[in-house]
Amino acid sequence: SGARLDIADLLPFADNPKVIGLAEFMNFPGVLMKDPVCMAKLEAFQGKHIDGHAPLLRGMDLNGYLAAGIRTDHETTTAGEAREKLAKGMHILVREGSVSKDLDQLLPVITERYSPFIALCTDDRNPLDIAEQGHLDYMIRTLIGLGRPLHHVYRAASWSAARAFGL
């Protein structure tokens, strides 16, 4: 939300055993243009989890983004985009926030084949929605209500998410 995190701000955390990686690397244009600031941050966290933020990124640009070591994305909004990212080894975090609601569009990829590479995400879900509807439990109930098999849903809500983040 407007904060600036320079490489000097991040370096003290790179080797901290409680830090699993670099969260939500949003500057995908900087990655693709090999911006030195972006590259320094990514280099500092190589070997750890690097969480992505790559809306509508596909094709060769997606290949370049993945080559930088970024392995997850919560900005995927269509099943076609999800399938391409999954095929290239990216782990998709299906988001159902308060404003960005991608669950319905990504329902087709929550399957036996893909559920090991799908996790559930409540990015930007506001406290009122959580209090009234729930958090991950809301997503679980919704998916089951829409007919997704229990084992696909619970895998995405637990094991798959833990595996994606190296937990």
Side-chain angles (χ1 to χ4, degrees):
S1 58
R4 182 180 172 113
L5 292 171
D6 293 318
I7 186 65
D9 300 315
L10 299 173
L11 280 176
F13 300 101
D15 293 323
N16 186 314
K18 293 183 178 182
V19 174
I20 64 170
L22 187 60
E24 200 167 345
F25 201 84
M26 295 177 76
N27 188 356
F28 71 86
V31 173
L32 299 177
M33 299 303 293
K34 296 188 248 174
D35 175 75
V37 173
C38 289
M39 295 295 105
K41 290 177 183 179
L42 293 170
E43 184 178 335
F45 286 87
Q46 285 301 309
K48 290 190 167 236
H49 177 81
I50 302 175
D51 193 36
H53 183 108
L56 306 174
L57 197 61
R58 301 187 76 171
M60 295 299 284
D61 286 344
L62 176 59
N63 294 352
Y65 192 70
L66 290 167
I70 299 164
R71 292 291 169 252
T72 61
D73 182 46
H74 71 279
E75 293 289 332
T76 302
T77 58
T78 69
E81 181 185 356
R83 284 186 192 101
E84 180 179 355
K85 288 176 176 179
L86 288 161
K88 292 180 176 183
M90 192 168 243
H91 202 104
I92 300 300
L93 311 179
V94 176
R95 175 182 48 198
E96 189 72 6
S98 292
V99 175
S100 297
K101 299 175 181 288
D102 304 318
L103 192 62
D104 287 339
Q105 289 297 313
L106 297 177
L107 190 66
V109 297
I110 302 174
T111 64
E112 181 77 30
R113 178 180 182 186
Y114 293 127
S115 64
F117 312 102
I118 301 281
L120 305 182
C121 169
T122 57
D123 184 56
D124 293 331
R125 190 155 176 83
N126 74 46
L128 183 60
D129 288 344
I130 293 169
E132 291 179 353
Q133 300 170 334
H135 199 247
L136 285 176
D137 58 315
Y138 169 77
M139 293 183 75
I140 291 167
R141 286 191 312 274
T142 301
L143 287 166
I144 292 169
L146 291 170
R148 293 289 93 185
L150 292 175
H151 64 292
H152 301 172
V153 175
Y154 284 112
R155 180 185 291 149
S158 60
W159 177 82
S160 178
R163 188 173 143 268
F165 289 94
L167 301 174

